[in-house]
Amino acid sequence: DTAVSQTPKYLVTQMGNDKSIKCEQNLGHDTMYWYKQDSKKFLKIMFSYNNKELIINETVPNRFSPKSPDKAHLNLHINSLELGDSAVYFCASSQTGDFNSPLHFGNGTRLTVT
Amino acid sequence: GQQLNQSPQSMFIQEGEDVSMNCTSSSIFNTWLWYKQDPGEGPVLLIALYKAGELTSNGRLTAQFGITRKDSFLNISASIPSDVGIYFCAGRRRGAQKLVFGQGTRLTINP
C-alpha cells in the first residue's frame, strides 16, 4: 500500500544516454511534483503538475521533460545525460496545489551518471 | 530565489537530550512544514503549521509557527536513537504553488 512509489530506486548510466524515471501515487491527489536533491541534501523543485497540467517549471534544462499521462502518474524523461545530473530525484504529491496541502514524497531515485 | 535559512546545519547530542532547530525567511509564509529524512528514503512529514503563533505537537516533537510568519521552530524532547536523520523545514506562501525547503539539520545522537 505504498503511497508514492517511484522506479527505479537506483539508476547508473553513461553520459549522453537517455533515461526515464516513473512515479505513481495511489493517494488520489491532484498535484504531483519532481524535486532534485543534490549532494549537499538541498531539495529543489523542478516541476509540478496539477491534474495532468504543468503548473511549475523551474529553470531546468530542456533535456528534462516531465510527462503526466493521468493525475496518478508523473514520469521524468532525461535526454543526453550529463555528469551534473547525478543526484537523487524525488517524486511527491499533494491533495491540491494550495498552501495548506502538504507534500508526500516517494523514496527517491539515485541517478549516477558516469 | 526564495530561501529558507535553517540552523543549525548539524547537531551532535547525547541520547536523552532535548533538541531545538529553527528556520527563518525574509518573506512571509502561510504554511510551515517540518520533514524528517532517513538515509535512502524520502522526506516524511512530521508537523504542518498553518496559522501564525500555532504550536503543534506530534509525540515528542513540538513545532511553532512564528508570530511574524517569517520563522518556525522544531523541538524534540528526550531524544532517542531513531531520531537520527536530517530534518527539513519547508515553507509556502498563499497562492504560491512552490514549497521551498531549508538546507536541513543533520542530527546525530551518541548513545
Side-chain angles (χ1 to χ4, degrees), chain B residues 63-80:
Chain B
Q64 183 159 27
F65 191 140
I67 201 76
T68 65
R69 295 178 176 268
K70 292 184 178 182
D71 57 9
S72 180
F73 304 86
L74 176 70
N75 294 320
I76 306 173
S77 62
S79 58
I80 60 178

Side-chain angles (χ1 to χ4, degrees), chain B residues 27-89:
Chain B
S27 304
I28 288 175
F29 285 97
N30 292 92
T31 300
W32 284 98
L33 306 172
W34 285 92
Y35 285 85
K36 182 192 179 205
Q37 186 177 17
D38 290 327
E41 298 184 12
V44 173
L45 182 67
L46 299 173
I47 294 178
L49 303 160
Y50 301 114
K51 227 158 99 168
E54 183 180 355
L55 185 72
T56 297
S57 292
N58 178 3
R60 293 176 297 104
L61 276 63
T62 302
Q64 183 159 27
F65 191 140
I67 201 76
T68 65
R69 295 178 176 268
K70 292 184 178 182
D71 57 9
S72 180
F73 304 86
L74 176 70
N75 294 320
I76 306 173
S77 62
S79 58
I80 60 178
S82 61
D83 291 334
V84 164
I86 303 177
Y87 291 81
F88 290 98
C89 63

Side-chain angles (χ1 to χ4, degrees), chain A residues 2 5 7 20 22 28-29 33 39 41-42 47-49 52-53 55 60 68 70 80-81 89 96 106-107 113:
Chain A
T2 307
S5 59
T7 55
S20 291
K22 295 188 174 182
H29 288 171
Y33 310 79
S39 57
K41 303 298 184 186
F42 185 63
F47 301 102
S48 172
Y49 270 72
K52 301 194 296 175
E53 183 184 341
I55 52 173
V60 176
S68 182
D70 55 61
S80 303
L81 278 155
Y89 292 83
T96 69
N107 281 332
V113 182

Side-chain angles (χ1 to χ4, degrees), chain A residues 9 33 35 37 40-43 45 55-56 58 90 94 96-103 105-107, chain B residues 30-31 33 35 37 40-43 45 50 86 88 92-99 101-103 106:
Chain A
K9 188 164 175 67
Y33 310 79
Y35 275 80
Q37 187 172 48
K40 294 184 177 177
K41 303 298 184 186
F42 185 63
L43 279 158
I45 190 166
I55 52 173
I56 294 177
E58 289 292 286
F90 285 100
S94 62
T96 69
D98 291 341
F99 75 96
N100 60 351
S101 188
L103 273 63
F105 285 85
N107 281 332
Chain B
N30 292 92
T31 300
L33 306 172
Y35 285 85
Q37 186 177 17
E41 298 184 12
L45 182 67
Y50 301 114
I86 303 177
F88 290 98
R92 206 176 203 169
R93 293 184 299 166
R94 188 186 294 271
Q97 301 285 351
K98 212 161 49 165
L99 186 65
F101 280 81
Q103 306 98 316
R106 185 183 292 273

Side-chain angles (χ1 to χ4, degrees), chain A residues 15-60:
Chain A
M15 281 176 57
N17 285 347
D18 303 338
K19 289 293 177 187
S20 291
I21 308 172
K22 295 188 174 182
C23 180
E24 175 182 4
Q25 54 96 3
N26 63 5
L27 296 166
H29 288 171
D30 286 339
T31 308
M32 294 185 72
Y33 310 79
W34 278 109
Y35 275 80
K36 180 180 180 181
Q37 187 172 48
D38 61 24
S39 57
K40 294 184 177 177
K41 303 298 184 186
F42 185 63
L43 279 158
K44 192 172 190 308
I45 190 166
M46 300 172 68
F47 301 102
S48 172
Y49 270 72
N50 185 283
N51 213 355
K52 301 194 296 175
E53 183 184 341
L54 180 67
I55 52 173
I56 294 177
N57 185 350
E58 289 292 286
T59 46
V60 176

